[in-house]
Amino acid sequence: MCGIVGYTGFQDAYEVVINGLRRLEYRGYDSAGIVLDRENASFDVAKTKGKVDDLVAVSENLSGKSHVGMGHTRWATHGVPSDRNSHPHLSNNGKIALVHNGIIENYDTIKIMLTEKGFTFQSETDTEVLVNLIQFFMDMDASLDFPTAVRFALNEVYGAYAITVMHDDFPGVLVVARLGSPLAIGLGTNEYFIASDASPFVEFTKEAVYLEEGHMATISLEKGVDIRTIKDNEKIVPQVQELKLSLEQIEKGGYEHFMLKEIFEQPKSIHDTLRGRLLVEEGIIKMAGIWDHLDRINKAQKITIIACGTSWHAGLIGEYLIEEFARIPVEVEYASEFRYRNPIITENDVVIAISQSGETADTMAALKMAKDKGAFIYGICNVVDSSIARITDAGSYTHAGPEIGVASTKAFTAQLTVLSLIALKLGKHKGNLSNQEFMRLITELEAIPKKVEEVLEKTHDITKEIAKDFVNAQNFLYLGRGYNFPAALEGALKLKEISYIHAEGYPAAEMKHGPIALIDENMPIVIIAPKQGHYDKIVSNVQEIKARKGKIIALVNKGDTQVSSMADYVIEFPETSECFSPIVASVPLQLLSYYIAVYRGANVDQPRNLAKSVTVE
Ligand code: F6R
């Protein structure tokens, strides 16, 4: 949830750390801080509530002063966003500095113990407890070296963390550790980088080591990278990986916001998701992850999809797809609920985890639980080599490219694309789909990137115009049926998270069981009404809304007349099979939310209280 950057080398550490923090601001942006280490001087520290720009305003004087440092951008867990609670935190003797992403669950007990020993605390954070615990071990045994003290302290805490620590008496040394939150080490020539993901150092090196769960590393120019297990201090040989990430992928490329760039990237990202997998001329779907386990998956008694947020909405559409084509019962669960109840999962089950980041703490914990019960675990992740991708038995990457805007857009449509491929592949293998039907569907799927391109081109200006009329709306309803019911949920989520307008998604027919009471001339209602998919029923729903004077924004297929004639606003999108229509219909919904939020002056890429990767419960 927070972003960590560290550096030791020959460059100006201030510049490297600040630029790195800007790239990681998607992970948290309620406060930021930096610490620099100079030989023969105590730490230079600057931290503040607010964004990286606010940090720069209070720390510019540190530029050019040091070649070693680290920084942090925070998403508050323990303690409100404030200068005091911002990272880095220093130990009581001022010699140790620590930045932390995650939660130390037993911090309270340790804090009591340290307080009894005379330690004092300036902040409400769990992080300040950890940094003082390291000092405690060093105070107890003056011969203890710094990395060992960090290791001892980590063996006393439980929870989830990625940390970077510096000690004033060990200049140029950075100690990092990971349990549950990601951390990458960039290997340059005469320089090392540390970051929550590789984006802060991609322009400096293409070689990286991703720290594994339960590992720590001591990094210095003199001794390189020494990786050990936290528990037993066992030496580990680093696995160096070549980064595929390019600078272009993580920059805005002329768009005002990452979100808009990512919305417009969808024809390409969907195409990339299909590339090499959907071979229409050969009449096959080739997916290594599925191919090697087809029998296991097809024989599943039940498939359980676990996910959170937008990925959970993709899961609901996955349920419709898999049940329709593969005829295997599917349940879709919120990971946060699944992990704390006693679900019936056996070794005959398949569990599919969907996660853009591959780091979501609830999804990860739910997966581990399902794995312990013997289920076969399949992952659908966007971030390559992420924690979830690593613990699954098999899986498919979505290949949407880095998604930096906090509101998920291209990752969602890529998830739907992968789920479509999986459902069609299973359906074909099981003999539920005739050759002809299979060919018809895969031909349509292949055309989806073009349709998304068309919908972007045709609806960009319209959604921008419509958005102007709803800048002051207080509430929104989103309605859809069948495959487009989850698309309505996703449309509502997109609007509420970036514009802060209250929005709810409902199955259109469910409206008369309650939400209809809300409808009057002040209630905007977005209704997804494609030709294929219960169109007649939707027409009745639209009539019911019209009779109550609701403001109707209708998403219809090209050439529609019936719904369009009743709607106040019409957005047309190209026709496709009902099962693929959420991919196409989601695009104008993303644009509508985007422009409403922009006109309201909201920070679209960094909405309040949210962060991109939810690595805490
Ligand atoms: C909404 C959004 C969140 C995420 C959710 C799960 O736009 O981005 O709802 O979908 O936090 O995240 P992942 O997919 O990374 O597990």
Side-chain angles (χ1 to χ4, degrees), residues 292-329:
D292 298 339
H293 307 278
L294 259 181
D295 286 335
R296 176 81 161 88
I297 299 172
N298 260 338
K299 280 195 199 120
Q301 231 159 41
K302 170 176 97 228
I303 293 179
T304 303
I305 298 180
I306 50 181
C308 304
T310 289
S311 298
W312 184 80
H313 295 153
L316 288 179
I317 296 171
E319 174 184 19
Y320 286 41
L321 283 160
I322 295 170
E323 291 204 342
E324 177 168 354
F325 298 121
R327 306 303 298 154
I328 303 170

Side-chain angles (χ1 to χ4, degrees), residues 422-579:
I422 291 175
L424 294 175
K425 175 93 195 160
L426 294 177
K428 179 75 190 333
H429 183 71
K430 276 190 104 175
N432 299 335
L433 281 168
S434 66
N435 252 345
Q436 199 188 2
E437 184 60 357
F438 180 74
M439 284 309 294
R440 184 187 71 76
L441 286 163
I442 63 172
T443 307
E444 273 207 32
L445 186 54
E446 194 190 33
I448 293 294
K450 266 257 155 289
K451 292 190 177 175
V452 169
E453 199 175 305
E454 185 185 331
V455 81
L456 277 166
E457 198 186 303
K458 300 256 167 71
T459 64
H460 186 207
D461 290 343
I462 298 166
T463 48
K464 213 167 163 175
E465 276 309 302
I466 297 175
K468 285 182 188 154
D469 289 353
F470 294 98
V471 175
N472 296 317
Q474 310 258 326
N475 297 289
F476 254 86
L477 269 182
Y478 282 71
L479 304 176
R481 297 183 80 120
Y483 280 93
N484 284 300
F485 154 53
L489 293 179
E490 174 58 12
L493 177 65
K494 236 33 352 136
L495 183 70
K496 74 182 118 186
E497 66 184 332
I498 60 170
S499 73
Y500 320 135
I501 295 173
H502 170 239
E504 287 194 58
Y506 263 94
E510 200 46 35
M511 188 182 65
K512 56 188 166 299
H513 299 290
I516 199 162
L518 298 169
I519 297 179
D520 62 17
E521 64 280 8
N522 297 316
M523 176 64 90
I525 297 139
V526 176
I527 187 145
I528 311 169
K531 261 271 163 294
Q532 299 190 38
H534 320 284
Y535 184 77
D536 293 343
K537 305 276 174 205
I538 288 263
V539 169
S540 314
N541 298 136
V542 175
Q543 273 156 347
E544 287 156 11
I545 299 166
K546 190 84 191 152
R548 287 156 186 88
K549 300 193 168 64
K551 284 259 165 322
I552 300 167
I553 304 163
L555 267 76
V556 295
N557 286 147
K558 254 193 310 201
D560 177 277
T561 48
Q562 228 179 330
V563 169
S564 303
S565 66
M566 290 183 278
D568 300 276
Y569 303 86
V570 175
I571 301 171
E572 286 189 344
F573 67 101
E575 192 171 337
T576 181
S577 277
E578 189 198 355
C579 62

